[in-house]
Amino acid sequence: MIKQQVSLQHLNTLRLSCIASHYCQVSSIEELVEAANYARLQQLPLLLLGEGSNLVLPSKIRALVVKIELKGVRQKATDSGVIVTAAAGESWDSLVAQTARDELWGLENLSLIPGTVGAAPIQNIGAYGVEVKDRLLELRALDLASGTVETFDNRQCEFAYRDSVFKQRFSNRFAIIDCTFKLNSVAEPQLSYGALQNAFNHNQGALSPRLVRDYICQLRQSKLPDPRVTPNAGSFFKNPVVSEAKAKDIEKQFPELVSYPVDEGRKLAAGWMIEQAGFKGVQRGSVGVYDKQALVLTSNGCANASDLQLLVDEIRTRIAELFGVSLEVEPRSYDCHGQQVS
Ligand code: FAD
Ligand code: NAP
């Protein structure tokens, strides 16, 4: 059922105040098709909503906001592991918890990431050296224009760092319906990140997906704000990738620069740069920079998108002045006409 003038404040983890002109929840593909048809007839843009943990919403939005509530998880055993298919509206972290309980390797490094299964491929969620692309076999998505269901294999998703075809060429064209992952029953720990190496290197024999998950949950809870207590959207900026020459140039002035080699050059730790620029813990009215991780912007629950934008502009300007680097916003932002602006 489509409702009008609905507040989305409790449906985005930054708790930004936002009134949607039209809103509905869908729990089946048929309902999703109906919603898409309604939006087309009414000439409304369609905004798909998971748990709202990677979104910046305007104070008012003229769009049909469709909350994805498709549910269900099924498993199929194979010789080396299990193929797991989860519907788009399932909680990502509940899926990770379940697979870790089932002693399946593959998703444990992605523990405690908020959001839904269906949103996970959109920005190719990643943490501690693992990305969704490393485990996703295929996904099914509804083409919102034609109403047909298409299957995308891993390659067709065109995954990249916090990116996929669904943020690029096919932005807002497909609604992801379900995702299928290939998980392993044989030990496959991914411990390349320093924190995990330190914790587990001595005792790899006794490792289990559950142990890795529990450790990552503890680590994240100690460093990251719980959106239910301190509204936020996780990392607000992507880590910029620059050429080796540019990184060396920055190091002349900032020898402590935190960076990691990648194929295209070097990935700079944006959180470190923001901290160096003096923003860690600063408060600007209803919004601020988290005091334990400067990459996370927070709200006091009474902010709107304009309050946040002022702080974003201030940080981006200062980082460009200091390091000569342009920071790209990670969450997807929308304007009052329902058009995506970043
Ligand atoms: P939403 O915010 O609701 O939507 C995000 C985008 O995806 C929107 O454009 C929306 O239209 C689109 N979308 C949603 N569902 C669908 C669908 N079914 N089909 C098509 N499009 C859809 N991200 C990481 O990568 N790594 C992390 O470690 C991480 N940690 C976080 C920690 C915190 C505390 C928070 C608040 C966020 C974190 N994030 C992280 C970001 C966020 O959790 C992920 O991007 C997550 O996948 C967003 O899921 P969601 O359901 O909330 O999506
Ligand atoms: P951290 O471990 O303090 O590391 C800071 C930054 O350095 C991270 O952004 C990470 O890049 C990079 N890094 C650290 N070790 C690395 C290695 N061995 N190789 C390559 N890059 C390395 O970060 P944190 O804030 O506590 O977060 C831990 C993990 O959770 C990170 O992977 C981070 O991406 C993820 N996370 C993401 C979000 C989000 O909203 N996107 C929010 C919270 C946490 P990467 O970011 O590329 O991994």
Side-chain angles (χ1 to χ4, degrees), residues 10-312:
H10 60 296
L11 295 175
N12 74 95
T13 61
L14 270 163
R15 301 284 176 262
L16 299 177
S17 52
C18 174
I19 304 290
S21 65
H22 298 75
Y23 172 86
C24 67
Q25 296 184 351
V26 296
S27 44
S28 67
I29 298 176
E30 292 71 28
E31 287 179 4
L32 188 52
V33 172
E34 265 177 49
N37 288 342
Y38 178 90
R40 200 174 316 111
L41 281 173
Q42 300 293 322
Q43 297 188 321
L44 288 166
L46 197 97
L47 196 168
L48 300 166
L49 183 66
E51 288 177 12
S53 64
N54 211 25
L55 278 183
V56 178
L57 294 170
S59 303
K60 283 185 179 172
I61 188 163
R62 188 185 167 274
L64 173 59
V65 176
V66 179
K67 174 114 173 65
I68 303 288
E69 293 281 3
L70 282 79
K71 301 286 182 190
V73 178
R74 53 180 202 278
Q75 294 195 358
K76 195 173 104 193
T78 66
D79 288 347
S80 55
V82 166
I83 306 286
V84 180
T85 299
E90 289 287 339
S91 144
W92 173 260
D93 192 51
S94 301
L95 177 69
V96 178
Q98 183 185 326
T99 58
R101 266 197 310 274
D102 293 345
E103 299 289 315
L104 293 170
W105 291 91
L107 302 182
E108 62 285 350
N109 286 33
L110 303 176
S111 290
L112 218 63
I113 299 181
T116 52
V117 167
I122 302 287
Q123 76 152 4
N124 181 25
I125 58 167
Y128 299 102
V130 173
E131 294 174 329
V132 132
K133 79 165 170 53
D134 301 324
R135 287 297 167 185
L136 187 122
L137 206 55
E138 61 182 32
L139 60 80
R140 289 192 311 148
L142 177 78
D143 184 337
L144 294 165
S146 69
T148 55
V149 173
E150 293 191 18
T151 300
F152 290 76
D153 65 21
N154 186 300
R155 193 186 46 83
Q156 290 168 318
C157 293
E158 295 176 18
F159 288 123
Y161 179 61
R162 301 289 188 268
D163 204 6
S164 75
V165 72
F166 304 106
K167 280 182 88 173
Q168 300 294 334
R169 254 180 330 124
F170 292 153
S171 181
N172 301 319
R173 172 156 162 203
F174 286 94
I176 294 177
I177 296 165
D178 55 37
C179 299
T180 298
F181 302 94
K182 188 173 184 305
L183 305 181
N184 213 330
S185 34
V186 180
E188 251 191 355
Q190 165 51 270
L191 306 175
S192 63
Y193 271 42
L196 302 185
Q197 269 175 25
N198 295 340
F200 295 118
N201 248 357
H202 309 298
N203 200 12
Q204 285 212 21
L207 264 185
S208 71
R210 250 165 113 165
L211 268 181
V212 176
R213 170 176 166 78
D214 289 348
Y215 182 75
I216 286 180
C217 286
Q218 270 177 31
L219 204 57
R220 291 180 67 104
Q221 278 159 344
S222 70
K223 287 179 86 172
L224 293 168
D226 178 348
R228 289 167 302 187
V229 181
T230 308
N232 73 91
S235 303
F236 206 86
F237 302 99
K238 290 186 192 174
N239 289 324
V241 173
V242 298
S243 66
E244 186 58 34
K246 173 76 184 171
K248 285 212 171 91
D249 206 33
I250 299 174
E251 270 168 345
K252 283 186 199 144
Q253 207 188 335
F254 298 94
E256 311 287 296
L257 177 72
V258 179
S259 68
Y260 299 88
V262 289
D263 289 346
E264 305 84 352
R266 264 201 266 167
K267 179 181 74 176
L268 312 182
W272 180 87
M273 296 163 92
I274 297 168
E275 186 177 345
Q276 292 303 302
F279 284 106
K280 199 174 189 181
V282 305
Q283 198 65 33
R284 298 278 188 268
S286 53
V287 295
V289 179
Y290 192 53
D291 59 4
K292 292 188 195 153
Q293 166 53 287
L295 203 47
V296 177
L297 305 189
T298 60
S299 129
N300 66 1
C302 302
N304 60 36
S306 317
D307 303 325
L308 193 63
Q309 192 59 45
L310 286 175
L311 178 59
V312 170

